[in-house]
Amino acid sequence: MLWLRALQDFVYCESQIAENVCKGNGWLYKMLDTALSLSPRFRIVAATGGVALSVLISDIEGASKIFDKAVESFPNDWQILYYAAYHAIYEEKNKEKAAGYLVRAARNGGKDWFYSLAVRLYTDAGQRELGLSVYKDLKDSKINPGLLDRMSQKLGLPKEQ
């Protein structure tokens, strides 16, 4: 019932703090958070709640909490991990967190290019060793050699003969 009620007012902002920006942890966040607390395996709430909070009403703080809860409930769902990574990059400005989500997403059915982006994000976040670890794990796999080359360049590795 909470989900159905939330759907009716997905764009409701009870306290606007700037144009197109709502006060964090508002009404929609509370509805979605309660729905996920009562039913943590309710995938549609987990997959769309954070996106709705972030994109529709700019409740970045609430969206971050919903994404964290969604990833906890669905740790191997590549789409949820990808959405959470996108949010971590652009809204939280947390490249290391985003990179971790992208690696997990790629390992669970996501696109191979997620690895390349993760390597870049780890490197940009000052975590080159984590990026190098991802690269080494993939080096002997059947991943596209072009992606491996891009990862190698992002890591500043010498060209192999």
Side-chain angles (χ1 to χ4, degrees):
M1 294 305 294
L2 291 170
W3 172 243
L4 292 175
R5 180 64 185 101
L7 280 175
Q8 295 171 14
D9 286 314
F10 239 35
V11 296
Y12 174 68
C13 175
E14 71 187 74
S15 181
Q16 193 170 10
I17 58 175
E19 188 175 343
N20 298 322
V21 178
C22 286
K23 180 181 173 196
N25 301 313
W27 180 86
L28 181 58
Y29 163 75
K30 290 172 186 166
M31 295 293 282
L32 297 171
D33 184 55
T34 303
L36 274 179
S37 293
L38 292 172
S39 186
R41 300 294 299 160
F42 196 174
R43 188 184 180 283
I44 191 72
V45 177
T48 61
V51 175
L53 287 166
S54 181
V55 175
L56 297 177
I57 63 170
S58 298
D59 179 352
I60 305 308
E61 183 182 346
S64 295
K65 291 176 182 178
I66 294 296
F67 278 123
D68 289 344
K69 209 173 229 188
V71 167
E72 185 177 319
S73 292
F74 297 91
N76 300 316
D77 187 311
W78 77 264
Q79 291 172 321
I80 290 173
L81 289 162
Y82 177 70
Y83 298 152
Y86 182 90
H87 182 77
I89 293 168
Y90 292 104
E91 302 297 352
E92 296 178 15
K93 310 294 187 226
N94 187 336
K95 293 178 181 181
E96 187 175 348
K97 180 180 182 180
Y101 285 160
L102 286 168
V103 169
R104 288 172 57 189
R107 288 183 178 150
N108 287 288
K111 305 296 182 186
D112 285 344
W113 62 264
F114 292 179
Y115 288 120
S116 181
L117 178 55
V119 166
R120 189 182 97 216
L121 290 170
Y122 275 138
T123 303
D124 290 351
Q127 297 293 328
R128 184 179 180 276
E129 291 303 314
L130 289 173
L132 190 56
S133 173
V134 171
Y135 173 78
K136 286 179 180 177
D137 286 348
L138 295 170
K139 196 164 187 224
D140 295 326
S141 70
K142 296 178 182 176
I143 197 167
N144 180 327
L147 281 174
L148 280 175
D149 287 343
R150 280 194 294 257
M151 285 185 245
S152 175
Q153 289 171 359
K154 290 172 185 170
L155 290 165
L157 299 175
K159 279 208 175 261
E160 292 187 14
Q161 305 300 333

